[in-house]
Amino acid sequence: MERNMSETVDPRLRRRARGARSNAAGRYERHGRVYEDDGWNSAPDDEAPLRTQVSVEVPRRMITYNRSPDLPFDRSINPYRGCEHGCIYCFARPSHAWLGLSAGLDFETRLVARPAAPEVLARELSNGNYRPETIAIGTNTDPYQPIEKTHEIMRACLKVLSDFNHPVGIVTKGTLIERDIDILSDMAARGLVRVGLSVTTLDADLSRKMEPRAPSPARRLQTIERLSSAGISVRIMTSPIIPAINDHEVEALLKAGRDAGAEGASWVMLRLPLEVSPLFREWLETHFPDRAARVMGLVRGMHGGKDYDPEWGRRMRGEGAHAELIAARFRVAARRLGLNKRLPPLRTDLFRVPGRAEQLDLF
């Protein structure tokens, strides 16, 4: 592991409930980051808490558009930047570099809340040129991470979308989504919402290592059951699949999701863009030194000898024998469990700007 990675944080910081082990400077910074003890710590063996900090941003716009052929949506919103769940594999970590922060510990401890998001979103949806299509939430950072309990930005955004009869697809591993079942069930009855619940492993110990501040796998399965019982369409997301770490669980994860009430399923192979790669390799050496070389060998074998291949059509699934094997296992298991059916599209024909009279309403 690069020497500067291990020297980027105070070794006394309590990192047991964090995913990243280091805090290297972002890729846009002119200088690196090295921790230097100034000698003023009177108790060098004492651990210091690493607390979460939340700052506030006033966004100029909320809807981000994409044209990626790998994604089933063309627009998304993000109530927060950074994510306290601390998933070591999170492909969104490099986005913190745009803020001058690290993709490591900064990503999971220096968060940005956007409390004006609902008002900005309503303004964009009210634009006369706007044409509705499903908005994705949670595709970058989790809208139901712990700080949502205090800030309630996601709930306010849902109220806006409900008022506009606007379709939304939500991705989360946060059980706080149960708080919003009242809004979600009403939207589901109008064909306006679908939820993807991420369950990466059934092994609580592995989950704690990979995603230290996310709810336990059993608790997430319970959330699938509660959402499904409320009439909300849910799919289980077995993502990411990590070779030699959780790939043996594909069939068990799908069955657990189906038994909890999931109607569909999806998967994505581990992605290691930019700063995620050294962070993940450092995590492997810490928690799985016996198989770190094997894991990275399999990863590189699926990406043309590199840690990551960003090419469209390959970045989400990889290629080669191992990638094909995982894809085949997922396909067979999903078909056997009835999770491979195509779900109907969410409705866009109900979209209305609240308070704006339509021409036909005048007759």
Side-chain angles (χ1 to χ4, degrees):
M1 189 54 54
E2 292 91 336
R3 185 170 180 266
N4 67 321
M5 292 287 286
S6 62
E7 296 178 348
T8 55
V9 293
D10 182 342
R12 288 178 293 271
L13 279 178
R14 188 183 303 131
R15 290 170 284 169
R16 286 192 297 271
R18 304 294 182 180
R21 308 302 301 164
S22 56
N23 209 36
R27 61 189 178 280
Y28 300 125
E29 303 308 300
R30 293 181 58 191
H31 304 289
R33 179 183 300 177
V34 177
Y35 171 78
E36 184 68 32
D37 189 351
D38 61 9
W40 284 103
N41 290 296
S42 57
D45 294 330
D46 288 350
E47 284 190 329
L50 179 56
R51 303 189 188 282
T52 300
Q53 305 173 49
V54 182
S55 57
V56 171
E57 172 192 315
V58 180
R60 289 178 294 178
R61 61 180 183 272
M62 280 302 298
I63 302 176
T64 299
Y65 293 89
N66 79 81
R67 297 292 182 266
S68 169
D70 291 333
L71 300 176
F73 57 88
D74 71 349
R75 65 199 69 182
S76 61
I77 65 174
N78 290 290
Y80 302 99
R81 298 185 189 273
C83 186
E84 196 174 3
H85 283 156
C87 305
I88 189 58
Y89 51 71
C90 183
F91 64 85
R93 283 181 177 273
S95 64
H96 240 43
W98 302 336
L99 305 178
L101 298 172
S102 173
L105 288 167
D106 280 351
F107 178 78
E108 49 195 284
T109 61
R110 298 184 65 179
L111 312 180
V112 178
R114 312 171 88 186
E119 292 79 11
V120 176
L121 175 61
R123 185 174 67 237
E124 290 179 273
L125 297 182
S126 298
N127 187 303
N129 295 321
Y130 181 79
R131 296 296 177 266
E133 290 294 342
T134 299
I135 284 179
I137 310 181
T139 57
N140 195 52
T141 58
D142 202 313
Y144 287 106
Q145 59 181 287
I147 60 172
E148 165 64 12
K149 186 173 183 179
T150 301
H151 293 270
E152 298 190 352
I153 301 172
M154 177 59 176
R155 182 172 176 83
C157 286
L158 280 181
K159 288 179 179 178
V160 170
L161 294 169
S162 179
D163 289 345
F164 279 77
N165 283 322
H166 196 293
V168 59
I170 302 168
V171 174
T172 184
K173 51 172 63 78
T175 56
L176 184 58
I177 191 174
E178 295 173 7
R179 177 202 62 192
D180 295 339
I181 283 179
D182 58 334
I183 302 175
L184 295 171
S185 60
D186 181 59
M187 294 183 73
R190 287 177 274 155
L192 295 175
V193 68
R194 190 165 291 139
V195 175
L197 221 301
S198 173
V199 187
T200 52
T201 177
L202 298 177
D203 182 337
D205 182 60
L206 174 58
S207 177
R208 182 64 71 188
K209 290 184 174 76
M210 288 198 302
E211 39 203 24
R213 296 204 173 196
S216 71
R219 184 66 183 84
R220 282 180 249 173
L221 290 170
Q222 188 179 55
T223 296
I224 292 178
E225 183 177 1
R226 291 177 177 174
L227 293 173
S228 179
S229 297
I232 301 161
S233 177
V234 187
R235 78 180 186 278
I236 181 170
M237 303 177 65
T238 59
S239 305
I241 299 297
I242 307 175
I245 297 292
N246 71 343
D247 56 350
H248 64 285
E249 296 188 72
V250 168
E251 293 82 1
L253 283 166
L254 292 182
K255 183 178 185 303
R258 191 281 309 272
D259 291 348
E263 297 180 357
S266 63
W267 73 282
V268 174
M269 192 68 74
L270 173 70
R271 297 166 57 189
L272 299 177
L274 302 170
E275 293 98 329
V276 184
S277 178
L279 288 166
F280 182 77
R281 286 186 277 117
E282 184 180 43
W283 177 86
L284 271 179
E285 292 290 351
T286 299
H287 295 287
F288 297 100
D290 59 322
R291 68 182 94 163
R294 181 185 174 210
V295 172
M296 291 309 303
L298 289 168
V299 168
R300 290 170 184 140
M302 293 187 290
H303 293 291
K306 299 177 289 186
D307 286 3
Y308 179 61
D309 181 357
E311 289 297 316
W312 285 340
R314 296 199 296 264
R315 60 182 185 148
M316 310 290 274
R317 299 290 172 85
E319 57 185 352
H322 196 74
E324 291 170 5
L325 175 61
I326 291 175
R329 287 174 52 202
F330 182 93
R331 187 168 56 249
V332 169
R335 184 172 60 243
R336 174 171 52 83
L337 295 166
L339 295 174
N340 64 332
K341 55 182 176 291
R342 185 179 296 275
L343 300 175
L346 298 176
R347 298 184 65 177
T348 58
D349 59 303
L350 300 178
F351 177 77
R352 296 289 186 276
V353 177
R356 180 179 296 174
E358 299 289 334
Q359 270 194 315
L360 292 178
D361 293 339
L362 302 177
F363 293 92

